[in-house]
Amino acid sequence: MRTETPPLIRLEEYRPSDYLIDRVDLDIRLDPHATRIDATLALRPNPAGEAGAPLNLDGDELRLVSVALDGAPLAAGAYAASPSGLSLIDPPRRPFVLRIVTEADPTANTKLMGLYRSSGVYCTQCEADGFRRITYFLDRPDVMAVYTTRLEADRDESPVLLGNGNLVDSGPAGAGRHFAIWHDPHPKPAYLFALVGGRLGKVETRFTTMEGRGVTCAVYVEPGKESRADYALDAVIRSMAWDETAFGRPYDLDVFNVVAVSDFNMGAMENKGLNIFNDKYVLASPETATDGDYAAIEAIIAHEYFHNWSGNRVTCRDWFQLCLKEGLTVFRDQEFSADMRSRPVHRIAEVRSLRARQFPEDAGPLRHPVRPRAYAEINNFYTATVYDKGAEIVRMLRTLIGPEAFRAGMDRYFADNDGRAATVEDFLAAFATVTGRDLTAFARWYERPGTPRLTATLAYDRAAARCRLHLVQTLPGEAGQDAPPLVIPVALGLVGAAGPLAGATCPDVRDGVYVLDRAEAEIVFESVAEEPVPSLLRDFSAPVRLDLALTDAQRMRLLAHDSDPFNRWQAAQDVALRLILDPDPDRAEAFAQALGRFLDAEALGDPAFAALVLALPSEGEAADALPRDVDPDAIHQARSALRAHLGRALRPCLERLDAALAPAAGATYSPDAASAGRRSLRNAALDLIAAGDPELGAARAGERLDNATNMTDRLAALATLALIPGERREAALAGFAARYADEPLVLDKWFAIQAQIPEPGTLERITTLQGHPAFTMTNPNRVRALIGSFAFGNPTQFARRDGAGFSRVADAVALLDSSNPQVAARLLTAFGSWRRLEKSRAAKAVEILNRINAIPGLSRDSADILARSLGDG
Ligand code: TRP
Ligand code: ZN
């Protein structure tokens, strides 16, 4: 263990700031190496703070040029400055003005936090604590100010100058330079500040809000790529319209800008009126983007736009409340996507991603409550737990109180907290007020880490036509047995041999939902005419693990007859998962027959849904179902064998689907959900055919690759081919790379496919790819595509028994940690499940984690992940 584990910041130690900042005037002269930031801050003592306390402004790697108080330079003894802070020992006990000049080198900023340059474009990233890398400030979300920003730059280098809010003035500034002044009337925390300067092309359109405000919406991208921004712009307009109808939330400025940059630590950022995006989530054309990319662009555009209310108008008091904006906004973007596409299909996709990312996090040493109580590095808490489990909590709240009360509660929340920095308590209080309900027990979802287990058993009494359903909730890993129970909405129904049982009654079930708020309960159904199969947790009504012992035949009854599409899909997943963990050829054959009947009857009616039924649980999900001794090779073999069996048994059926779903000759590509669904089923069919007969599969995938008219089909074919070793694969990979040599985002897909090949040779392949001209460790998308896909998407090779897979990721972390600690720390979280691996692999993981931990000068980001991963979690 390293000696200095980073110090913790604790929720219980929250205190209001001693000073507030009402107005910020920035004059920023952009220069590649010496950007001048002249900041004028209107400060005053906070009545809620400590009178006469010193003023401690945050800084991070700052270079101070000058500081003045109320127009006069400060005496040397009146302040203390370092790169990481500026303190006034005895500030005035009345409002005062501080003028601070700092200088920054945006070109040298490799951390991509604060002001940096991406392909020559000046941009900023301030969440969570990047503003302090631009100027000294009270960099905390409960300090909210009105910002005016004057930007000045060389006209040729930066013809476009964008800021928060509305443009109030612009013009020449002499010597080939020009300026733009932006004013944002809405008070905001510093983390929402942004600027952009550069040579950019744009597409734009107008939107009129429900209040009659005319808004100019624009998407800025690298010049020449404007046509690839059309879909994102359309998603902006649809998001604006949807937030008005679904939540009554109009936009509140005259302009809304989105800018795509190619070097970005995460997906996108909701800066007020100026959302900045990873270009991966903006740029799309049929030739370069898959259906999945289009869906992700739509969802992330919506997510950032929806933050304008859930995050910006109502912001967070402190970073412990992160789920207040992120969980709520994920819930909102999920509902948007569900309305734009197929609701059940989207719900299944949400749950798959929750299980793939959040369940393992919740089961390992990096687990934390949705509202953490302590952190060493806040950037490590932008997690699946905060985002996705946070969204599930909002969803459960809606299920518990009903959609009308939920909408009323949301209105109340926005009304009561507009312009404020709020807490989870403020959020729940709005719903308690409108419903008159006590939500204290429900609030435990925010506090308790870990995935609850819901165990259910059903007993049927034929003579009495009665069913008893016994439910028990447990939360493994918590000390002590008497932890108070969670409030779990269990949506449920009973399914008979030919469909849902209509006559059955249960007084405890309202609108199809039973609310389990005790550790254990039994509910009784009367008038149950035949022995039913219970369909529990419909639509995944709570983020729990369900233990319900059903036979394969009972599950296949659910697949055939349940009224709940989610549980139909779940039933097939459950059978498949058991077959992966406990292979059995006879049961596999029976499963294949049931799938065949399902596909013949329904696949062409809802291809997207059928494709999800065909997608077996991932290797990660299978590992996650095991408490210990995980052997990724065994899981891989079992899953591959099951796929091969299904591919052979279902071959005629898959061939029929493949033929029926072929696009009409000359058809043009459309990214809509129905067309995407047909492509996904057709490509899933080919992939399964290939699993059953690799020789044939390789030939057919090769053909599809050559004839594809869009990236979705081309990439699917390449992914199928990538699993079949041989000359054809290598030729296809080489051809793809040649065709897209000038398309970095497409080459990322090519890196990712190769990084996930489950063969020992993959390590060598990665070595070669790290030397590819398109690869660079300085671009986060490249790192995630190659190293990230390997660490998170190749369980057999990452967790190789000899430790070479772990070692490779460790080397990348070591290389990256000082230049971009956020991305390095994110890679390290791939080790989060090491404790569940079988002993020899677990020992290698620890050895390698300790090796990284010994690196001198490791970032706080990485040190924090290591300390928690190696700790006794
Ligand atoms: N608030 C952003 C979102 O979820 C995410 C974000 C947080 C981020 N910190 C960041 C993005 C740092 C980029 C870099 O929408
Ligand atoms: Zn967000």
Side-chain angles (χ1 to χ4, degrees), residues 127 268-270 300 303-304 307 310 322 325-327 329-330 333 382 387:
E127 186 178 5
M269 180 63 211
E270 71 264 25
I300 296 177
H303 178 96
E304 306 311 330
H307 268 314
S310 47
L322 187 57
K325 75 178 177 81
E326 295 304 348
T329 304
V330 169
D333 82 56
Y382 288 77
Y387 277 66

PDB file of all heavy atoms in Angstrom, residues 127 268-270 300 303-304 307 310 322 325-327 329-330 333 382 387, ligand 2:
ATOM      1  N   GLU A 127     -16.314  21.225 -15.692  1.00  0.00           N
ATOM      2  CA  GLU A 127     -16.815  20.285 -14.702  1.00  0.00           C
ATOM      3  C   GLU A 127     -15.774  19.183 -14.495  1.00  0.00           C
ATOM      4  O   GLU A 127     -15.248  18.681 -15.485  1.00  0.00           O
ATOM      5  CB  GLU A 127     -18.131  19.636 -15.144  1.00  0.00           C
ATOM      6  CG  GLU A 127     -18.716  18.770 -14.042  1.00  0.00           C
ATOM      7  CD  GLU A 127     -20.069  18.134 -14.411  1.00  0.00           C
ATOM      8  OE1 GLU A 127     -20.515  18.280 -15.560  1.00  0.00           O
ATOM      9  OE2 GLU A 127     -20.650  17.494 -13.543  1.00  0.00           O
ATOM     10  N   ALA A 268     -19.814  14.359 -23.373  1.00  0.00           N
ATOM     11  CA  ALA A 268     -20.213  15.715 -23.721  1.00  0.00           C
ATOM     12  C   ALA A 268     -20.427  16.507 -22.444  1.00  0.00           C
ATOM     13  O   ALA A 268     -20.429  15.944 -21.355  1.00  0.00           O
ATOM     14  CB  ALA A 268     -21.496  15.709 -24.541  1.00  0.00           C
ATOM     15  N   MET A 269     -20.630  17.825 -22.610  1.00  0.00           N
ATOM     16  CA  MET A 269     -20.744  18.697 -21.439  1.00  0.00           C
ATOM     17  C   MET A 269     -21.801  19.773 -21.663  1.00  0.00           C
ATOM     18  O   MET A 269     -21.824  20.422 -22.708  1.00  0.00           O
ATOM     19  CB  MET A 269     -19.364  19.321 -21.150  1.00  0.00           C
ATOM     20  CG  MET A 269     -19.357  20.246 -19.954  1.00  0.00           C
ATOM     21  SD  MET A 269     -19.762  19.348 -18.419  1.00  0.00           S
ATOM     22  CE  MET A 269     -20.562  20.659 -17.514  1.00  0.00           C
ATOM     23  N   GLU A 270     -22.616  19.965 -20.627  1.00  0.00           N
ATOM     24  CA  GLU A 270     -23.829  20.788 -20.736  1.00  0.00           C
ATOM     25  C   GLU A 270     -23.625  22.273 -20.449  1.00  0.00           C
ATOM     26  O   GLU A 270     -24.556  22.938 -19.993  1.00  0.00           O
ATOM     27  CB  GLU A 270     -24.874  20.224 -19.770  1.00  0.00           C
ATOM     28  CG  GLU A 270     -24.570  20.445 -18.264  1.00  0.00           C
ATOM     29  CD  GLU A 270     -23.888  19.275 -17.571  1.00  0.00           C
ATOM     30  OE1 GLU A 270     -23.209  18.481 -18.249  1.00  0.00           O
ATOM     31  OE2 GLU A 270     -24.016  19.165 -16.331  1.00  0.00           O
ATOM     32  N   ILE A 300     -27.354  11.530 -26.389  1.00  0.00           N
ATOM     33  CA  ILE A 300     -26.431  12.426 -25.675  1.00  0.00           C
ATOM     34  C   ILE A 300     -26.748  13.892 -25.984  1.00  0.00           C
ATOM     35  O   ILE A 300     -26.685  14.746 -25.094  1.00  0.00           O
ATOM     36  CB  ILE A 300     -24.968  12.029 -25.965  1.00  0.00           C
ATOM     37  CG1 ILE A 300     -24.740  10.615 -25.402  1.00  0.00           C
ATOM     38  CG2 ILE A 300     -23.988  13.015 -25.329  1.00  0.00           C
ATOM     39  CD1 ILE A 300     -23.383  10.020 -25.652  1.00  0.00           C
ATOM     40  N   HIS A 303     -29.510  14.427 -23.661  1.00  0.00           N
ATOM     41  CA  HIS A 303     -29.017  14.468 -22.280  1.00  0.00           C
ATOM     42  C   HIS A 303     -28.458  15.861 -21.945  1.00  0.00           C
ATOM     43  O   HIS A 303     -28.848  16.476 -20.956  1.00  0.00           O
ATOM     44  CB  HIS A 303     -27.939  13.396 -22.089  1.00  0.00           C
ATOM     45  CG  HIS A 303     -27.333  13.364 -20.726  1.00  0.00           C
ATOM     46  ND1 HIS A 303     -27.764  12.502 -19.740  1.00  0.00           N
ATOM     47  CD2 HIS A 303     -26.337  14.089 -20.166  1.00  0.00           C
ATOM     48  CE1 HIS A 303     -27.068  12.710 -18.639  1.00  0.00           C
ATOM     49  NE2 HIS A 303     -26.173  13.660 -18.874  1.00  0.00           N
ATOM     50  N   GLU A 304     -27.545  16.339 -22.776  1.00  0.00           N
ATOM     51  CA  GLU A 304     -26.922  17.628 -22.476  1.00  0.00           C
ATOM     52  C   GLU A 304     -27.954  18.741 -22.556  1.00  0.00           C
ATOM     53  O   GLU A 304     -27.958  19.661 -21.735  1.00  0.00           O
ATOM     54  CB  GLU A 304     -25.748  17.914 -23.423  1.00  0.00           C
ATOM     55  CG  GLU A 304     -24.684  16.811 -23.485  1.00  0.00           C
ATOM     56  CD  GLU A 304     -24.194  16.310 -22.148  1.00  0.00           C
ATOM     57  OE1 GLU A 304     -24.183  17.084 -21.179  1.00  0.00           O
ATOM     58  OE2 GLU A 304     -23.820  15.118 -22.067  1.00  0.00           O
ATOM     59  N   HIS A 307     -30.098  18.899 -19.465  1.00  0.00           N
ATOM     60  CA  HIS A 307     -29.400  19.486 -18.316  1.00  0.00           C
ATOM     61  C   HIS A 307     -29.724  20.973 -18.172  1.00  0.00           C
ATOM     62  O   HIS A 307     -29.553  21.540 -17.097  1.00  0.00           O
ATOM     63  CB  HIS A 307     -27.882  19.351 -18.484  1.00  0.00           C
ATOM     64  CG  HIS A 307     -27.281  18.117 -17.868  1.00  0.00           C
ATOM     65  ND1 HIS A 307     -27.586  17.681 -16.604  1.00  0.00           N
ATOM     66  CD2 HIS A 307     -26.348  17.246 -18.344  1.00  0.00           C
ATOM     67  CE1 HIS A 307     -26.871  16.585 -16.324  1.00  0.00           C
ATOM     68  NE2 HIS A 307     -26.115  16.296 -17.372  1.00  0.00           N
ATOM     69  N   SER A 310     -32.420  20.394 -15.663  1.00  0.00           N
ATOM     70  CA  SER A 310     -31.978  19.502 -14.576  1.00  0.00           C
ATOM     71  C   SER A 310     -30.452  19.520 -14.504  1.00  0.00           C
ATOM     72  O   SER A 310     -29.787  18.656 -15.050  1.00  0.00           O
ATOM     73  CB  SER A 310     -32.516  18.078 -14.785  1.00  0.00           C
ATOM     74  OG  SER A 310     -32.315  17.638 -16.115  1.00  0.00           O
ATOM     75  N   LEU A 322     -24.281  14.869  -7.046  1.00  0.00           N
ATOM     76  CA  LEU A 322     -24.132  14.713  -8.498  1.00  0.00           C
ATOM     77  C   LEU A 322     -25.312  13.975  -9.142  1.00  0.00           C
ATOM     78  O   LEU A 322     -25.788  14.332 -10.229  1.00  0.00           O
ATOM     79  CB  LEU A 322     -22.824  13.968  -8.790  1.00  0.00           C
ATOM     80  CG  LEU A 322     -22.408  13.848 -10.252  1.00  0.00           C
ATOM     81  CD1 LEU A 322     -22.292  15.211 -10.912  1.00  0.00           C
ATOM     82  CD2 LEU A 322     -21.076  13.101 -10.357  1.00  0.00           C
ATOM     83  N   LYS A 325     -28.405  15.844 -10.617  1.00  0.00           N
ATOM     84  CA  LYS A 325     -28.504  16.268 -12.014  1.00  0.00           C
ATOM     85  C   LYS A 325     -28.276  15.105 -12.979  1.00  0.00           C
ATOM     86  O   LYS A 325     -28.940  15.020 -14.000  1.00  0.00           O
ATOM     87  CB  LYS A 325     -27.557  17.438 -12.320  1.00  0.00           C
ATOM     88  CG  LYS A 325     -26.068  17.120 -12.450  1.00  0.00           C
ATOM     89  CD  LYS A 325     -25.306  18.396 -12.806  1.00  0.00           C
ATOM     90  CE  LYS A 325     -23.798  18.213 -12.884  1.00  0.00           C
ATOM     91  NZ  LYS A 325     -23.336  17.632 -14.150  1.00  0.00           N
ATOM     92  N   GLU A 326     -27.357  14.192 -12.652  1.00  0.00           N
ATOM     93  CA  GLU A 326     -27.025  13.146 -13.628  1.00  0.00           C
ATOM     94  C   GLU A 326     -28.064  12.022 -13.663  1.00  0.00           C
ATOM     95  O   GLU A 326     -28.511  11.615 -14.731  1.00  0.00           O
ATOM     96  CB  GLU A 326     -25.616  12.596 -13.376  1.00  0.00           C
ATOM     97  CG  GLU A 326     -24.496  13.627 -13.588  1.00  0.00           C
ATOM     98  CD  GLU A 326     -24.508  14.269 -14.973  1.00  0.00           C
ATOM     99  OE1 GLU A 326     -25.219  13.790 -15.872  1.00  0.00           O
ATOM    100  OE2 GLU A 326     -23.797  15.281 -15.150  1.00  0.00           O
ATOM    101  N   GLY A 327     -28.448  11.508 -12.513  1.00  0.00           N
ATOM    102  CA  GLY A 327     -29.452  10.439 -12.506  1.00  0.00           C
ATOM    103  C   GLY A 327     -30.757  10.934 -13.106  1.00  0.00           C
ATOM    104  O   GLY A 327     -31.378  10.270 -13.940  1.00  0.00           O
ATOM    105  N   THR A 329     -31.184  13.422 -15.187  1.00  0.00           N
ATOM    106  CA  THR A 329     -31.060  13.728 -16.619  1.00  0.00           C
ATOM    107  C   THR A 329     -30.943  12.453 -17.446  1.00  0.00           C
ATOM    108  O   THR A 329     -31.461  12.394 -18.560  1.00  0.00           O
ATOM    109  CB  THR A 329     -29.882  14.693 -16.855  1.00  0.00           C
ATOM    110  OG1 THR A 329     -30.102  15.858 -16.044  1.00  0.00           O
ATOM    111  CG2 THR A 329     -29.801  15.114 -18.308  1.00  0.00           C
ATOM    112  N   VAL A 330     -30.305  11.426 -16.911  1.00  0.00           N
ATOM    113  CA  VAL A 330     -30.301  10.139 -17.622  1.00  0.00           C
ATOM    114  C   VAL A 330     -31.740   9.620 -17.725  1.00  0.00           C
ATOM    115  O   VAL A 330     -32.177   9.170 -18.793  1.00  0.00           O
ATOM    116  CB  VAL A 330     -29.403   9.103 -16.927  1.00  0.00           C
ATOM    117  CG1 VAL A 330     -29.617   7.710 -17.521  1.00  0.00           C
ATOM    118  CG2 VAL A 330     -27.933   9.500 -17.058  1.00  0.00           C
ATOM    119  N   ASP A 333     -33.337  11.533 -20.480  1.00  0.00           N
ATOM    120  CA  ASP A 333     -32.923  11.171 -21.852  1.00  0.00           C
ATOM    121  C   ASP A 333     -33.409   9.762 -22.211  1.00  0.00           C
ATOM    122  O   ASP A 333     -33.737   9.485 -23.365  1.00  0.00           O
ATOM    123  CB  ASP A 333     -31.412  11.395 -22.072  1.00  0.00           C
ATOM    124  CG  ASP A 333     -30.497  10.281 -21.580  1.00  0.00           C
ATOM    125  OD1 ASP A 333     -30.659   9.126 -21.992  1.00  0.00           O
ATOM    126  OD2 ASP A 333     -29.566  10.581 -20.797  1.00  0.00           O
ATOM    127  N   TYR A 382     -18.050   9.974 -11.547  1.00  0.00           N
ATOM    128  CA  TYR A 382     -18.970  10.055 -12.691  1.00  0.00           C
ATOM    129  C   TYR A 382     -19.160   8.616 -13.181  1.00  0.00           C
ATOM    130  O   TYR A 382     -18.607   8.206 -14.195  1.00  0.00           O
ATOM    131  CB  TYR A 382     -18.414  10.996 -13.770  1.00  0.00           C
ATOM    132  CG  TYR A 382     -18.489  12.427 -13.334  1.00  0.00           C
ATOM    133  CD1 TYR A 382     -17.575  12.950 -12.420  1.00  0.00           C
ATOM    134  CD2 TYR A 382     -19.520  13.251 -13.774  1.00  0.00           C
ATOM    135  CE1 TYR A 382     -17.679  14.251 -11.967  1.00  0.00           C
ATOM    136  CE2 TYR A 382     -19.620  14.563 -13.339  1.00  0.00           C
ATOM    137  CZ  TYR A 382     -18.706  15.054 -12.436  1.00  0.00           C
ATOM    138  OH  TYR A 382     -18.821  16.346 -11.995  1.00  0.00           O
ATOM    139  N   TYR A 387     -24.954   7.712 -12.418  1.00  0.00           N
ATOM    140  CA  TYR A 387     -25.769   8.006 -13.605  1.00  0.00           C
ATOM    141  C   TYR A 387     -26.941   7.027 -13.739  1.00  0.00           C
ATOM    142  O   TYR A 387     -28.098   7.427 -13.801  1.00  0.00           O
ATOM    143  CB  TYR A 387     -24.907   7.915 -14.877  1.00  0.00           C
ATOM    144  CG  TYR A 387     -24.118   9.181 -15.182  1.00  0.00           C
ATOM    145  CD1 TYR A 387     -23.110   9.616 -14.340  1.00  0.00           C
ATOM    146  CD2 TYR A 387     -24.387   9.924 -16.325  1.00  0.00           C
ATOM    147  CE1 TYR A 387     -22.381  10.757 -14.626  1.00  0.00           C
ATOM    148  CE2 TYR A 387     -23.653  11.073 -16.625  1.00  0.00           C
ATOM    149  CZ  TYR A 387     -22.653  11.490 -15.781  1.00  0.00           C
ATOM    150  OH  TYR A 387     -21.948  12.623 -16.060  1.00  0.00           O
TER     151      TYR A 387
HETATM  152 ZN    ZN B   2     -24.994  14.579 -17.561  1.00  0.00          ZN
END
